[in-house]
Amino acid sequence: MPLAFCGSENHSAAYRVDQGVLNNGCFVDALNVVPHVFLLFITFPILFIGWGSQSSKVHIHHSTWLHFPGHNLRWILTFMLLFVLVCEIAEGILSDGVTESRHLHLYMPAGMAFMAAVTSVIYYHNIETSNFPKLLIALLVYWTLAFITKTIKFVKFYDHAIGFSQLRFCLTGLLVILYGMLLLVEVNVIRVRRYIFFKMPREVKPPEDLQDLGVRFLQPFVNLLSKGTYWWMNAFIKTAHKKPIDLRAIGKLPIAMRALTNYQRLCEAFDAQERKDMQSTQGARAIWQALCHAFGRRLVLSSTFRILADLLGFAGPLCIFGIVDHLGKENRVFQPKIIVGVILLYYILGISALIGAAVIILLAPVQYFVATKLSQAQRSTLEYSNERLKQTNEMLRGIKLLKLYAWENIFRTRVEMTRRKEMTSLRAFAVYTSISIFMNTAIPIAAVLITFVGHVSFFKEADFSPSVAFASLSLFHILVTPLFLLSSVVRSTVKALVSVQKLSEFLSSAEIREEQCAPREPEPRGQASKYQAVPLKVVNRKRPAWEDCRGIMGPLQSLTPSADGDADNCCVQIIGGFFTWTPDGIPTLSNITICIPRGQLTMIVGQVGCGKSSLLLATLGEMQKVSGGVFWNSLPDSETGEDPSPERETATDSDIRKRGPVAYASQKPWLLNATVEENITFESPFNKQRYKMVIEACSLQPDIDILPHGDQTQIGERGINLSGGQRQRISVARALYQHTNVVFLDDPFSALDVHLSDHLMQAGILELLRDDKRTVVLVTHKLQYLPHADWIIAMKDGTIQREGTLKDFQRSECQLFEHWKTLMNRQDQELEKETIVERKAAEPPQGLPRAMSSRDGLLQDEEEEEEEAAESEEEDNLSSVLHQRAKIPWRACSKYLSSAGILLLSLLVFSQLLKHMVLVAIDYWLAKWTDSALILSPTSRNCSLSQAQECSLDQTVYAMVFTVLCSLGIVLCLVTSITVEWTGLKVAKRLHCSLLNQIILAPMRFFETTPLGSILNRFSSDCNTIDQHIPSTLECLSRSTLLCVSALAVISYVTPVFLVALLPLAVVCYFIQKYFRVASRDLQQLDDTTQLPLLSHFAETVEGLTTIRAFRYEARFQQKLLEYTDSNNIASLFLTAANRWLEVRMEYIGACVVLIAAVTSISNSLHRELSAGLVGLGLTYALMVSNYLNWMVRNLADMELQLGAVKRIHGLLNTEAERYEGLLAPSLIPKNWPDQGKIQIQNLSVRYDSSLKPVLKHVNALISPGQKIGICGRTGSGKSSFSLAFFRMVDMFEGRIIIDGIDIAKLPLHTLRSRLSIILQDPVLFSGTIRFNLDPEKKCSDSTLWEALEIAQLKLVVKALPGGLDAIITEGGENFSQGQRQLFCLARAFVRKTSIFIMDEATASIDMATENILQKVVMTAFADRTVVTIAHRVHTILSADLVIVLKRGAILEFDKPEKLLSQKDSVFASFVRADK
């Protein structure tokens, strides 16, 4: 066929110009080509020769600087222009088809315009990102020419009476409007930027985010096309496939998305609400109003886009209706009704649609009920899970005690009982989950069944063509998803309402904060006082601060300290203070009136539980004040001495900080999950000289030397990888390092031996602090240090017994002073100096902490393993590493499925395959049914009315088969959903049981080498993943995969030509999923790993709130919390962006599938090779492919990540257990063994592992029955290893221990450990009753328990508690003091009444008076038992029968104490002199 721009027909009017050139349509079309040719010739050289040549002039990191005004509008108009041009091209091609020759002018100008429009947006993008606006002059000329030429064409159409009834006229009018708007956008760029026609162009700077090299989340900054397709993520996804993603790779959040920005925006919204109406800011309503004010615009915008996207989803069924109807019709006429949802179904199906819709709508409340029950089951499961984790945590933290007492089975049974309750809730959760999955898959089948069967049964004359059937089928699939999600949305809404209500209650609760409410009255002489008192009070933030202040001003005037010189020398003063922990509780501290002198050392002493620690906390404002006042001597706000008015206080409330920072070391050490150095410096500037002095004062250098990375070693959660003494000294070192004027130390010597205590006292407290004129308040039980005190406060039963100097006590409290003198066992201060000299002259301590002595070789071994691992990693090929990252963990998957058992696994696979075969059969039968209905319908045969009954098809057979298939499909949906959940339950039960049994029997070395947090994660997050997430993910993955395979199989069956296009699409899909899975897994792991520090930081902040507030570090920790939040948010944002990246590309692939399926099926149908029913079947499945592909890949990535939990748990299941079996049968062991307590140690050598050096070497000793043995030695000498050897907690590779004639190596471990008793230094209490903590085996009577409590000096304390022996002990024994917890542990050991009793520094946290009482009780109550005491204070073993002095794992001295004391060169004698 001949080609010509204006056509080649003879006598064509296209070449006639007798009525004017502009009246010739072909000429006007040729004129319209000119602007497009101009743009293409002008821009191509610039694009390909000078591409981004000016970008170097702008120093920004990303080429995404979108700074021209009207940027988004330009892109939107360009997209609209391209769409209209495509329509114009199609209209021209269709119009040209009716002529003999080809008229290029009908579509060639539109094609050129399409190319020019694409070129314009590419050209604009490069000019904008390279920041060379003068080149935009080409676009200005182009838009002007295009607008003029298109306007000429539109006017000529109008002159020739071509109106809106012609599509060509409408398209030309739209193009005129679009070109005109683009011209206005270009003019606006000139007006704002002034790059031409103005003398001074306007300079603009890139946004701060783009200047920051760390910002890599570019979604807010890229152009509209890249935003919509997530094109900017391509480079990130490729990079993720080459190397693992970390925080450095994802960078920082843009400023507008950071937590601080949103926090400030929300605060501004709250302030605006408060300024608007004070009453409206109360309760949850204020939070909702603030959220709407701060983020409402974005929420509305996103909701609008979501609604538009959902509405566009109805286009698919309408297209199916039109295509299939067009292919299947002969004389029928289709009137399109573009209505959404049920209304659309009604117009397609009629009344029948309402029946199916009614099924869906009626089942929606059932779905909500199921979702509610599911939420309740999940909440119940969470409660039991938390209880189980708490018990597991206690079990793991006290695992050493459990093994020493042979209580593993008791606590394992305790955890298993809770697990059984959890499994009951999990079964309910599984049942409701399976019902929810069943309803999600069965509702469409039921709705289609009822609708179609009702349609053909009750409406005989109704149309049941393939177009009606498959369009309705697609609409049902669309309607079911939002109705299914409705219940979840309602449930989430209820949760949000409850959460906001709780949040409002929290935000409106009372706060502890400082107010300057008791200003000092001016001196009679008119001189302003230099200092001013600041009482601490609880303030309710609901009321203005000055009202509270005014209310207590009067009563506090009488309590205000005087302004004399004595007051100036007083740092802190409490007058008439009554303090309590709870608002309605009995005051813990009563009638407290004290003065702490400035620049001096104040010691607070008293018995256990008398309120010493509470006094420090009350001074810091951590307790609730009932009455009285706490005054800190501080400078006022102004140098004039004028006191601020109440109004001024309210205005500057946040700035009133009269108490300066206090360096506080709590009794229970609080450490950060950071390095040793960071824990000591604690955000303060690093001073190398001071840091070394503090390290030396706290004797930390030997400990740092043995740590894997020195002071850069990361301290685990709660200092889990450190001993008690190390934690204590690091906490004290933090207080010593700070440059604060006031230092509070709460019992810093409790976990230290005498040498470390003396060194810390002398080098740390006296030299570093007191000599520096810093105010030091020291709570201690070490009364030998009282001569160093400048001021002493004695407490008793929550009150101040007396305060003053030591001489004051000597004069006025003679009895108390003599009692102290006896306990101190020291003559005067000169003896202390002599002792220090002797101690310094003695052999330097090894520095190896007691609890870490077992880890010396262990840590070295870890270092070697890490070095070997690093070397092996370096040797690994990068490609093999990347291959492992991209590989699906099939082994973990097989382990998970094999745990379910062969029967359940077979049922699972068979039911899934059969279900999807039935689902395909249902749709295939529907296609055959509708084809038959179409062929045999009366209208197709042109039957008369009298013959209509003969021509009509009997639908009964088709309806019956369809009903049977649908019913079978519904049954199989139920079977598969139940099978999947029951598989998950069985696997969860089996894996947890195996894990618990394996962990509880693991040796102590395992717990010393494995971080507690790592083990707990297996029981918490990993078990939770296996319990609740893997079953649902497995079901979704299998469903989406089989549906996707089914859809592609059906399309290939309908149109076999589709297989040709399937191969390249499959290749593209494979690479997309391959890249996505790697990035998604890394981002998901990063999301989890960044969430853990956030939660840990929040938890450790709450735990250390007292220390943080004492240091005045609230702002720093808040800032760190915001930083952790940003880190978690950026990982979450990238994960969401990666999911959107996948979704867009799967939509593209799905669109290609739909296009190919539609073209091939329509072509085959037009050639009478394919029925309309099969066309509808193929198109219906094609529409679902993109959704199935998207969820298949996402579920595959989720499953791959979740199977990591199975892999990690199986890794722990390979842990080697302790050797619990013995060589002796239980019948050969006497029931009362050991009855005498005779111990023979023969050539004993002990090590913690076969790869480590021995910690005890060739030890020989004989201990007669009933003897009291004392063991002492420097830190790291092997004292604790000696005691652990009796329980076979260490490897006795040489020698043996014989107790009452039986070698303990031949005994079953449980028997051996249950027949001995030991008390450890670190007190371990479990949540539960006092009775459970003393006797978890339930073997003893109440009288025995009370007797043990009386021996431990706790009988009166327990009797005062509600419930007595059944009183509750909270987790870790937090409701008792450290000393009381140690006493409970003593009582626990007394209950066992074994003939051998070992005390491993068991009185470290007890005051000396109580300790002396206990020592006397032990000597009398256990007169007939063998007692081995590892001495913390050497004077406690002076009354022992024999003393063993250890040095470097060998016995240095072994004799009676009096004999060793008589020897001048005796090491034991030097220890005793040092302990005096």
Side-chain angles (χ1 to χ4, degrees):
M1 187 177 288
L3 290 173
F5 186 77
C6 296
S8 60
E9 297 95 338
N10 294 328
H11 309 292
S12 174
Y15 296 97
R16 295 177 59 183
V17 292
D18 52 350
Q19 296 181 359
V21 177
L22 293 179
N23 287 322
N24 184 288
C26 187
F27 176 80
V28 174
D29 288 336
L31 189 64
N32 274 269
V33 175
V34 174
H36 315 314
V37 175
F38 162 78
L39 183 68
L40 293 174
F41 274 96
I42 288 293
T43 57
F44 268 73
I46 298 174
L47 287 174
F48 290 101
I49 298 174
W51 190 294
S53 60
Q54 301 297 324
S55 60
S56 59
K57 293 185 177 181
V58 184
H59 299 286
I60 58 176
H61 178 60
H62 303 291
S63 59
T64 54
W65 184 23
L66 311 178
H67 51 91
F68 291 159
H71 170 86
N72 288 334
L73 179 60
R74 183 193 296 266
W75 278 89
I76 293 172
L77 292 174
T78 304
F79 289 149
M80 295 173 65
L81 176 64
L82 291 172
F83 177 75
V84 175
L85 288 173
V86 170
C87 294
E88 189 178 26
I89 293 170
E91 191 272 339
I93 293 173
L94 291 175
S95 300
D96 190 34
V98 299
T99 60
E100 295 180 358
S101 66
R102 289 289 176 254
H103 291 254
L104 297 181
H105 73 97
L106 294 177
Y107 50 85
M108 180 181 170
M112 296 291 291
F114 185 87
M115 292 175 58
V118 173
T119 304
S120 71
V121 76
I122 295 174
Y123 179 77
Y124 165 77
H125 174 71
N126 285 278
I127 295 304
E128 184 175 32
T129 53
S130 62
N131 193 29
F132 196 47
K134 289 186 178 181
L135 289 178
L136 289 179
I137 190 69
L139 288 182
L140 176 65
V141 175
Y142 170 67
W143 299 130
T144 304
L145 293 175
F147 176 71
I148 293 173
T149 55
K150 195 57 70 175
T151 303
I152 292 172
K153 184 175 181 179
F154 182 75
V155 171
K156 291 306 174 182
F157 278 163
Y158 182 77
D159 291 342
H160 288 80
I162 299 176
F164 288 101
S165 59
Q166 298 292 325
L167 179 61
R168 191 175 301 177
F169 179 84
C170 298
L171 292 175
T172 306
L174 285 173
L175 289 173
V176 170
I177 295 172
L178 291 173
Y179 281 129
M181 294 183 71
L182 285 166
L183 177 60
L184 291 176
V185 170
E186 209 64 64
V187 171
N188 186 57
V189 174
I190 298 174
R191 183 187 66 84
V192 175
R193 291 296 304 273
R194 302 182 178 185
Y195 62 88
I196 56 173
F197 309 130
F198 292 93
K199 291 183 179 180
M200 296 294 293
R202 179 170 295 170
E203 296 292 335
V204 293
K205 294 182 179 180
E208 187 178 340
D209 286 321
L210 293 183
Q211 297 181 54
D212 189 346
L213 301 180
V215 175
R216 295 186 178 89
F217 187 78
L218 306 179
Q219 181 72 1
F221 312 110
V222 295
N223 61 60
L224 206 60
L225 180 63
S226 186
K227 278 183 181 178
T229 61
Y230 287 85
W231 193 262
W232 64 272
M233 281 284 291
N234 288 352
F236 178 81
I237 297 289
K238 290 179 183 176
T239 305
H241 196 263
K242 295 178 181 177
K243 60 180 180 180
I245 302 174
D246 53 11
L247 279 176
R248 184 179 300 176
I250 62 178
K252 296 184 291 187
L253 274 174
I255 294 174
M257 294 182 174
R258 291 176 188 171
L260 179 61
T261 306
N262 291 286
Y263 164 72
Q264 291 172 345
R265 184 180 290 126
L266 192 60
C267 286
E268 290 172 2
F270 270 114
D271 293 340
Q273 293 292 334
E274 189 174 354
R275 288 192 300 270
K276 184 178 179 181
D277 185 5
M278 289 291 293
Q279 295 301 321
S280 65
T281 59
Q282 301 298 324
R285 183 183 174 188
I287 297 180
W288 287 115
Q289 289 178 347
L291 288 172
C292 292
H293 185 272
F295 312 109
R297 183 179 176 184
R298 297 180 182 180
L299 290 173
V300 170
L301 188 62
S302 62
S303 301
T304 303
F305 285 137
R306 180 71 262 174
I307 292 171
L308 291 175
D310 290 340
L311 289 176
L312 288 173
F314 289 101
L318 289 175
C319 291
I320 291 178
F321 192 102
I323 292 171
V324 179
D325 180 76
H326 176 73
L327 295 175
K329 76 176 182 179
E330 290 186 1
N331 297 321
R332 288 173 291 119
V333 179
F334 167 61
Q335 297 180 354
K337 313 288 183 181
I338 307 176
I339 305 172
V340 297
V342 180
I343 301 176
L344 191 59
L345 273 172
Y346 174 75
Y347 279 103
I348 293 175
L349 279 173
I351 299 296
S352 308
L354 300 181
I355 301 173
V359 172
I360 298 176
I361 294 171
L362 288 175
L363 287 175
V366 179
Q367 286 181 299
Y368 176 72
F369 171 77
V370 171
T372 304
K373 289 294 184 181
L374 188 63
S375 178
Q376 292 175 357
Q378 194 171 19
R379 195 178 302 116
S380 174
T381 302
L382 183 62
E383 291 175 0
Y384 287 125
S385 178
N386 289 337
E387 180 66 23
R388 174 179 60 83
L389 286 177
K390 188 174 79 170
Q391 293 174 355
T392 306
N393 182 33
E394 287 186 332
M395 181 186 74
L396 294 175
R397 288 186 182 278
I399 189 67
K400 186 175 183 180
L401 177 75
L402 299 187
K403 287 183 173 295
L404 290 170
Y405 277 67
W407 286 349
E408 304 103 310
N409 293 331
I410 297 173
F411 280 78
R412 177 174 56 188
T413 304
R414 189 186 185 199
V415 174
E416 286 177 343
M417 287 178 61
T418 309
R419 177 64 175 176
R420 281 195 288 271
K421 297 176 183 177
E422 184 184 5
M423 288 301 298
T424 303
S425 294
L426 276 174
R427 286 190 191 94
F429 179 81
V431 167
Y432 290 117
T433 302
S434 59
I435 293 175
S436 180
I437 295 172
F438 162 68
M439 294 184 70
N440 186 29
T441 53
I443 283 178
I445 303 174
V448 168
L449 171 64
I450 295 173
T451 301
F452 290 165
V453 173
H455 183 70
V456 298
S457 300
F458 300 111
F459 306 98
K460 302 282 187 182
E461 302 298 326
D463 180 20
F464 192 54
S465 62
S467 61
V468 170
F470 286 102
S472 304
L473 189 63
S474 297
L475 285 169
F476 274 121
H477 282 294
I478 289 175
L479 283 176
V480 166
T481 302
L483 284 172
F484 176 73
L485 294 176
L486 180 64
S487 57
S488 301
V489 171
V490 173
R491 191 172 72 250
S492 299
T493 304
V494 173
K495 284 183 178 179
L497 292 171
V498 173
S499 299
V500 170
Q501 182 62 38
K502 291 180 178 179
L503 193 60
S504 66
E505 294 173 1
F506 174 75
L507 292 177
S508 60
S509 60
E511 292 183 359
I512 295 180
R513 114 180 114 177
E514 292 184 332
E515 301 279 352
Q516 186 169 348
C517 300
R520 183 176 300 161
E521 294 184 358
E523 297 284 333
R525 301 175 183 175
Q527 297 177 353
S529 173
K530 182 179 180 182
Y531 295 98
Q532 192 163 323
V534 184
L536 300 171
K537 65 182 288 291
V538 178
V539 180
N540 192 327
R541 66 183 300 161
K542 294 182 179 179
R543 298 186 298 166
W546 64 271
E547 291 184 5
D548 293 327
C549 183
R550 182 183 300 170
I552 65 169
M553 286 255 293
L556 282 182
Q557 290 292 336
S558 59
L559 300 178
T560 306
S562 61
D564 55 12
D566 292 338
D568 289 345
N569 293 328
C570 188
C571 178
V572 188
Q573 192 169 5
I574 302 179
I575 302 178
F578 286 78
F579 301 92
T580 180
W581 287 110
T582 56
D584 302 325
I586 301 174
T588 306
L589 301 176
S590 304
N591 195 23
I592 303 296
T593 301
I594 61 169
C595 174
I596 296 176
R598 183 189 301 276
Q600 297 183 12
L601 173 60
T602 300
M603 290 191 187
I604 303 177
V605 295
Q607 289 191 343
V608 173
C610 66
K612 302 183 295 297
S613 299
S614 299
L615 180 60
L616 291 186
L617 295 176
T619 308
L620 293 172
E622 295 296 329
M623 294 184 69
Q624 300 205 21
K625 178 167 64 66
V626 179
S627 62
V630 179
F631 303 95
W632 288 81
N633 234 344
S634 309
L635 289 171
D637 287 345
S638 59
E639 291 297 324
T640 59
E642 296 179 359
D643 299 318
S645 63
E647 291 79 11
R648 180 165 177 255
E649 287 179 16
T650 305
T652 62
D653 178 65
S654 61
D655 297 328
I656 296 178
R657 295 288 189 180
K658 290 302 171 184
R659 174 179 72 76
V662 174
Y664 172 64
S666 58
Q667 183 180 19
K668 181 182 179 182
W670 173 73
L671 299 181
L672 296 170
N673 190 4
T675 64
V676 175
E677 179 188 305
E678 289 169 341
N679 269 277
I680 294 174
T681 57
F682 201 51
E683 305 287 338
S684 296
F686 183 76
N687 184 315
K688 188 175 182 180
Q689 183 179 1
R690 183 171 185 82
Y691 181 76
K692 286 186 175 180
M693 292 172 62
V694 170
I695 292 294
E696 196 280 329
C698 297
S699 305
L700 279 171
Q701 192 58 50
D703 305 285
I704 291 175
D705 291 339
I706 67 168
L707 291 175
H709 305 290
D711 60 0
Q712 300 304 311
T713 302
Q714 195 82 6
I715 295 178
E717 185 181 357
R718 297 186 180 182
I720 190 64
N721 54 345
L722 300 177
S723 67
Q726 286 176 316
R727 292 196 295 268
Q728 187 79 63
R729 281 179 285 148
I730 291 176
S731 178
V732 173
R734 176 200 299 145
L736 298 182
Y737 184 83
Q738 305 305 311
H739 294 277
T740 58
N741 293 324
V742 183
V743 180
F744 282 7
L745 302 174
D746 191 355
D747 201 7
F749 310 118
S750 59
L752 309 182
D753 60 31
V754 61
H755 305 287
L756 293 176
S757 300
D758 283 349
H759 185 71
L760 175 60
M761 184 68 196
Q762 182 65 29
I765 297 174
L766 298 180
E767 294 179 5
L768 272 181
L769 297 181
R770 193 178 69 171
D771 293 352
D772 203 23
K773 300 299 182 184
R774 294 165 73 180
T775 304
V776 183
V777 180
L778 172 65
V779 172
T780 184
H781 294 137
K782 301 267 188 178
L783 300 182
Q784 64 265 34
Y785 300 137
L786 283 179
H788 296 291
D790 301 307
W791 195 255
I792 301 172
I793 298 175
M795 296 193 67
K796 185 177 182 181
D797 300 331
T799 60
I800 303 299
Q801 185 178 2
R802 171 85 183 176
E803 65 172 332
T805 63
L806 190 61
K807 291 183 178 180
D808 294 337
F809 279 90
Q810 186 176 5
R811 287 194 301 265
S812 58
E813 296 285 345
C814 299
Q815 186 176 358
L816 180 62
F817 180 78
E818 290 299 324
H819 178 60
W820 284 355
K821 189 175 179 181
T822 303
L823 295 176
M824 286 188 293
N825 198 17
R826 178 173 297 201
Q827 297 299 325
D828 51 23
Q829 193 171 352
E830 292 299 322
L831 184 58
E832 163 66 18
K833 295 179 181 178
E834 180 184 351
T835 304
I836 294 172
V837 173
E838 290 178 357
R839 185 170 54 83
K840 287 184 177 180
E843 181 182 0
Q846 299 298 316
L848 188 64
R850 182 201 64 265
M852 289 293 291
S853 61
S854 63
R855 303 182 185 175
D856 185 5
L858 175 63
L859 292 171
Q860 294 176 3
D861 185 62
E862 286 181 350
E863 283 185 303
E864 292 173 2
E865 290 177 357
E866 289 177 0
E867 290 174 359
E868 291 174 0
E871 291 175 2
S872 63
E873 286 179 2
E874 291 174 0
E875 294 172 359
D876 283 341
N877 194 345
L878 181 61
S879 60
S880 64
V881 175
L882 295 177
H883 176 70
Q884 290 298 324
R885 292 179 67 234
K887 189 178 179 181
I888 298 175
W890 296 113
R891 182 175 297 179
C893 183
S894 64
K895 287 180 179 177
Y896 177 85
L897 293 175
S898 61
S899 300
I902 188 66
L903 183 63
L904 203 56
L905 181 59
S906 303
L907 179 61
L908 175 65
V909 175
F910 178 74
S911 61
Q912 286 281 2
L913 292 175
L914 185 60
K915 182 186 80 169
H916 286 87
M917 291 171 62
V918 171
L919 292 179
V920 173
I922 291 171
D923 294 334
Y924 180 78
W925 187 257
L926 182 62
K928 300 293 290 183
W929 185 6
T930 54
D931 275 337
S932 301
L934 180 64
I935 295 171
L936 300 177
S937 63
T939 55
S940 64
R941 289 188 169 187
N942 298 320
C943 294
S944 63
L945 292 176
S946 60
Q947 297 174 322
Q949 187 173 2
E950 298 177 3
C951 297
S952 62
L953 171 69
D954 187 5
Q955 307 282 356
T956 306
V957 175
Y958 283 103
M960 288 180 61
V961 174
F962 188 75
T963 303
V964 170
L965 288 174
C966 288
S967 302
L968 182 59
I970 291 173
V971 171
L972 286 172
C973 287
L974 180 61
V975 172
T976 53
S977 61
I978 292 176
T979 305
V980 167
E981 291 299 322
W982 242 246
T983 300
L985 276 178
K986 187 172 182 180
V987 174
K989 182 179 180 180
R990 181 171 293 181
L991 285 181
H992 181 272
C993 183
S994 301
L995 178 64
L996 181 63
N997 290 335
Q998 198 67 31
I999 292 297
I1000 199 72
L1001 299 178
M1004 275 306 299
R1005 171 172 163 78
F1006 168 77
F1007 298 99
E1008 291 170 347
T1009 57
T1010 309
L1012 175 62
S1014 176
I1015 304 174
L1016 275 176
N1017 281 339
R1018 305 294 82 80
F1019 284 97
S1020 57
S1021 59
D1022 287 350
C1023 279
N1024 181 60
T1025 298
I1026 294 171
D1027 290 349
Q1028 299 186 23
H1029 298 294
I1030 289 184
S1032 57
T1033 305
L1034 178 63
E1035 195 278 333
C1036 290
L1037 177 61
S1038 59
R1039 178 156 49 95
S1040 57
T1041 302
L1042 290 174
L1043 284 173
C1044 189
V1045 172
S1046 301
L1048 295 176
V1050 168
I1051 298 171
S1052 301
Y1053 170 78
V1054 172
T1055 55
V1057 182
F1058 175 75
L1059 290 172
V1060 178
L1062 182 60
L1063 181 61
L1065 289 177
V1067 171
V1068 173
C1069 183
Y1070 168 77
F1071 281 103
I1072 289 175
Q1073 66 84 27
K1074 180 181 178 182
Y1075 279 82
F1076 169 78
R1077 281 194 302 103
V1078 174
S1080 175
R1081 185 180 67 246
D1082 286 357
L1083 288 171
Q1084 185 67 58
Q1085 290 175 343
L1086 197 61
D1087 185 30
D1088 295 339
T1089 54
T1090 52
Q1091 189 179 34
L1092 186 61
L1094 173 63
L1095 299 177
S1096 297
H1097 177 74
F1098 182 79
E1100 72 182 12
T1101 300
V1102 172
E1103 186 181 357
L1105 208 51
T1106 304
T1107 304
I1108 294 168
R1109 287 202 285 240
F1111 277 83
R1112 293 297 191 209
Y1113 277 6
E1114 297 98 316
R1116 298 188 186 186
F1117 276 77
Q1118 184 184 14
Q1119 176 63 28
K1120 207 163 188 178
L1121 188 66
L1122 293 174
E1123 291 174 0
Y1124 281 129
T1125 304
D1126 284 340
S1127 297
N1128 183 239
N1129 283 344
I1130 186 65
S1132 179
L1133 273 173
F1134 264 101
L1135 180 60
T1136 304
N1139 289 334
R1140 298 287 80 77
W1141 179 89
L1142 172 72
E1143 187 174 358
V1144 169
R1145 277 140 191 81
M1146 291 297 107
E1147 288 288 346
Y1148 289 159
I1149 293 177
C1152 292
V1153 170
V1154 173
L1155 177 63
I1156 297 168
V1159 171
T1160 53
S1161 59
I1162 291 172
S1163 300
N1164 290 343
S1165 181
L1166 289 176
H1167 291 87
R1168 305 294 180 182
E1169 297 177 1
L1170 197 63
S1171 66
L1174 290 178
V1175 172
L1177 178 66
L1179 292 179
T1180 302
Y1181 273 89
L1183 277 177
M1184 298 184 292
V1185 165
S1186 63
N1187 192 33
Y1188 295 156
L1189 277 174
N1190 180 36
W1191 282 109
M1192 182 184 72
V1193 177
R1194 288 182 62 176
N1195 287 324
L1196 185 61
D1198 290 342
M1199 177 59 73
E1200 186 178 4
L1201 183 69
Q1202 291 167 7
L1203 284 175
V1206 179
K1207 186 177 180 181
R1208 288 187 293 270
I1209 286 180
H1210 270 278
L1212 286 186
L1213 291 180
N1214 297 325
T1215 305
E1216 185 179 355
E1218 279 189 290
R1219 213 166 26 91
Y1220 275 79
E1221 300 80 10
L1223 299 177
L1224 290 178
S1227 58
L1228 300 177
I1229 305 170
K1231 292 185 178 180
N1232 59 345
W1233 179 92
D1235 54 347
Q1236 297 178 359
K1238 181 181 179 180
I1239 303 173
Q1240 296 173 270
I1241 303 175
Q1242 300 174 355
N1243 198 32
L1244 180 67
S1245 295
V1246 164
R1247 61 191 176 192
Y1248 282 86
D1249 190 75
S1250 58
S1251 60
L1252 302 180
K1253 296 178 181 179
V1255 290
L1256 288 180
K1257 306 168 189 175
H1258 308 293
V1259 174
N1260 290 277
L1262 175 61
I1263 302 173
S1264 301
Q1267 278 191 329
K1268 308 298 180 287
I1269 307 298
I1271 301 176
C1272 62
R1274 298 190 182 278
T1275 302
S1277 59
K1279 303 187 297 294
S1280 294
S1281 304
F1282 190 88
S1283 64
L1284 295 177
F1286 290 106
F1287 296 85
R1288 282 170 46 195
M1289 296 284 282
V1290 288
D1291 179 20
M1292 298 188 299
F1293 68 96
E1294 188 177 349
R1296 58 179 182 168
I1297 298 177
I1298 300 175
I1299 299 179
D1300 285 357
I1302 298 179
D1303 186 353
I1304 64 172
K1306 298 179 180 180
L1307 292 171
L1309 267 183
H1310 188 274
T1311 303
L1312 169 65
R1313 293 170 180 175
S1314 63
R1315 305 289 178 89
L1316 306 178
S1317 295
I1318 187 173
I1319 307 173
L1320 300 174
Q1321 177 189 3
D1322 295 327
V1324 178
L1325 293 182
F1326 303 99
S1327 58
T1329 62
I1330 293 176
R1331 185 191 306 276
F1332 173 79
N1333 272 272
L1334 297 180
D1335 181 30
E1337 297 173 292
K1338 301 179 181 178
K1339 292 182 177 179
C1340 301
S1341 62
D1342 285 7
S1343 59
T1344 305
L1345 299 181
W1346 282 116
E1347 180 187 359
L1349 289 172
E1350 187 175 8
I1351 293 173
Q1353 312 297 305
L1354 284 173
K1355 185 174 183 180
L1356 296 178
V1357 175
V1358 175
K1359 274 193 171 181
L1361 296 174
L1365 290 173
D1366 295 319
I1368 298 297
I1369 295 178
T1370 58
E1371 186 177 3
E1374 296 292 339
N1375 52 339
F1376 292 97
S1377 69
Q1378 187 84 355
Q1380 288 173 326
R1381 280 180 287 208
Q1382 189 67 279
L1383 294 176
F1384 274 114
C1385 294
L1386 286 168
R1388 176 195 292 150
F1390 296 152
V1391 166
R1392 288 172 73 97
K1393 293 185 176 179
T1394 57
S1395 61
I1396 297 178
F1397 186 60
I1398 301 171
M1399 299 176 66
D1400 186 359
E1401 302 185 2
T1403 57
S1405 300
I1406 304 173
D1407 61 274
M1408 296 180 70
T1410 308
E1411 183 184 30
N1412 283 348
I1413 296 173
L1414 284 173
Q1415 291 295 335
K1416 293 177 182 176
V1417 170
V1418 168
M1419 294 303 172
T1420 54
F1422 301 117
D1424 57 340
R1425 305 187 195 179
T1426 303
V1427 179
V1428 179
T1429 303
I1430 296 175
H1432 178 71
R1433 297 161 181 159
V1434 184
H1435 72 273
T1436 59
I1437 59 173
L1438 290 176
S1439 58
D1441 299 325
L1442 292 172
V1443 169
I1444 297 176
V1445 180
L1446 292 174
K1447 180 181 179 181
R1448 297 181 181 179
I1451 294 181
L1452 188 63
E1453 297 176 349
F1454 183 22
D1455 212 329
K1456 294 182 179 180
E1458 53 269 17
K1459 187 174 181 180
L1460 293 175
L1461 287 173
S1462 64
Q1463 301 173 5
K1464 294 183 179 180
D1465 58 346
S1466 169
V1467 176
F1468 178 71
S1470 67
F1471 285 167
V1472 173
R1473 288 194 296 269
D1475 194 35
K1476 287 185 179 181

